[in-house]
Amino acid sequence: AGGNNGKTQPCYHNLQGKNDYGKLGHAEVVGMKIPASKYEDFAREYFKLLGPDGSRPDQFGDRGPEYRNLIGVPGGKESPFVQSLLSATKKEGDKVDFAKGKGNDADLKALVWIM
């Protein structure tokens, strides 16, 4: 998710390097349906995974744009769920900042892209 090259069908990493999703600007994501009433609880669990400096548990293994912190919500940065994200991160130590994802975004420690 999150790539901005709509011309090529992305594929996972492969020996030929063809249509590699990372090189096309996409990120690894998981699709989930979370009831609105539980969204902040879910977000708190997500932020508990991060280290005190905002790093992911795999930050120093899996690196690159395809592994960036990315949360997709209906409406992107304008979504009402963003308030739940802000509340959750504050309750878990305020370890990260947020930015509006545009696709092809960088993998930066302590930054979560919202799309």
Side-chain angles (χ1 to χ4, degrees), residues 77-115:
K77 192 105 191 294
E78 307 308 315
S79 172
F81 290 112
V82 171
Q83 289 306 313
S84 295
L85 290 172
L86 295 172
S87 177
T89 191
K90 288 177 184 172
K91 290 177 181 174
E92 295 305 324
D94 204 14
K95 306 174 212 178
V96 298
D97 289 320
F98 299 93
K100 182 177 182 178
K102 298 176 190 83
N104 296 347
D105 303 303
D107 179 19
L108 302 172
K109 183 172 69 173
L111 182 67
V112 177
W113 299 100
I114 299 175
M115 294 184 83

